[in-house]
Amino acid sequence: MADIRETGLMLDPKYDSNGLITAVVTDATSGEVLMLAHMNAEALKLTVETGYATFWSRSRQSLWKKGETSGHMLAVEDIRIDCDQDAVWIIARAAGPACHTNARSCFYRRVRPDGLERLDA
Amino acid sequence: MADIRETGLMLDPKYDSNGLITAVVTDATSGEVLMLAHMNAEALKLTVETGYATFWSRSRQSLWKKGETSGHMLAVEDIRIDCDQDAVWIIARAAGPACHTNARSCFYRRVRPDGLERLDA
């Protein structure tokens, strides 16, 4: 049976019990996955309206405009939503390292059968 | 203060209260984000050991080797883990559409201020 949330053209995010969806950010130039975070309805609205990625910080329990303190903002080029509308894909131009560790991407380690391997070492 | 989970080379996933981490899958050729799903410890172990993406289905509450019924398996080329080890990035070669709707990617709609736009229409 067709599910209107999957086939329709109405934005109707399926928020989890904490009111959040998952957001994955890729670099518009390299295609690299930069980070993964969460958005509530307000963060998604702000991201669409302002053109800068805004998340919900689960640790601080507050809205978090990425780069508001570091200056490493994420300028949104495109936003996609997945089939069941519980995740968005943000394609962005990064003004600096996306990771709080100062790595370009949060995914700076490879998983190998025997442990992790640092990629930028 | 340095956090060993962030800086170390030991795999130590930070599972949520349901024992899960998030997994984002991109296409090894196009770089496109194909899907987003979840893994428990066993799914991650099987993914690393078998070279085929295996998830935990939250709806079915069971291990789910992607493509086990459809044949659209995801052959793993690389696995990355993020700073706080609560998300993995799987780079894979897809044997067919990644989405259960038969779309190549689950992210087949663009989010616009006035609604969604189908990209493959």
Side-chain angles (χ1 to χ4, degrees):
Chain A
M1 200 174 74
D3 178 336
I4 189 69
R5 188 175 250 153
E6 290 187 353
T7 58
L9 298 179
M10 191 178 83
L11 179 66
D12 180 24
K14 193 167 83 183
Y15 297 105
D16 70 10
S17 58
N18 295 310
L20 302 174
I21 56 173
T22 306
V24 53
V25 182
T26 62
D27 187 289
T29 306
S30 68
E32 186 176 32
V33 176
L34 296 176
M35 60 179 291
L36 197 140
H38 296 82
M39 290 183 176
N40 62 3
E42 181 69 8
L44 178 58
K45 182 171 179 281
L46 286 167
T47 299
V48 172
E49 288 180 359
T50 67
Y52 286 96
T54 302
F55 306 105
W56 176 257
S57 168
R58 295 182 299 177
S59 55
R60 296 193 298 271
Q61 289 286 301
S62 63
L63 282 171
W64 161 41
K65 180 180 176 182
K66 173 70 186 168
E68 64 192 344
T69 54
S70 67
H72 302 158
M73 290 178 292
L74 295 167
V76 176
E77 299 248 309
D78 208 348
I79 310 176
R80 312 278 175 90
I81 195 156
D82 76 343
C83 45
D84 58 355
Q85 298 205 33
D86 67 355
V88 289
W89 168 20
I90 308 285
I91 302 172
R93 279 177 291 111
C99 188
H100 74 287
T101 65
N102 227 35
R104 192 177 64 238
S105 159
C106 294
F107 294 85
Y108 49 80
R109 289 170 296 182
R110 172 173 289 136
V111 178
R112 300 177 61 96
D114 55 349
L116 306 182
E117 176 190 6
R118 184 96 194 185
L119 290 169
D120 51 358
Chain B
M1 200 175 74
D3 177 336
I4 189 67
R5 188 175 250 153
E6 291 187 353
T7 58
L9 298 180
M10 192 178 81
L11 179 66
D12 180 22
K14 193 167 82 183
Y15 297 105
D16 70 10
S17 58
N18 294 311
L20 301 175
I21 57 173
T22 306
V24 54
V25 182
T26 61
D27 186 289
T29 306
S30 69
E32 185 176 31
V33 176
L34 296 177
M35 59 179 290
L36 196 141
H38 296 82
M39 289 182 177
N40 62 4
E42 180 70 9
L44 177 58
K45 182 170 180 281
L46 286 168
T47 299
V48 172
E49 288 180 357
T50 67
Y52 287 95
T54 302
F55 306 105
W56 175 257
S57 168
R58 296 182 299 176
S59 55
R60 295 193 297 271
Q61 289 286 302
S62 63
L63 282 170
W64 161 40
K65 181 180 176 183
K66 173 71 185 166
E68 63 191 344
T69 53
S70 67
H72 302 157
M73 291 178 290
L74 295 167
V76 176
E77 298 248 309
D78 208 350
I79 308 176
R80 313 278 175 87
I81 195 157
D82 76 343
C83 45
D84 59 355
Q85 298 204 34
D86 67 355
V88 289
W89 169 19
I90 308 284
I91 301 172
R93 280 177 290 112
C99 188
H100 74 288
T101 65
N102 227 35
R104 193 177 63 235
S105 158
C106 294
F107 294 84
Y108 50 81
R109 288 170 297 181
R110 171 174 289 137
V111 179
R112 299 177 63 96
D114 55 350
L116 307 182
E117 176 190 6
R118 184 93 194 189
L119 292 169
D120 51 358

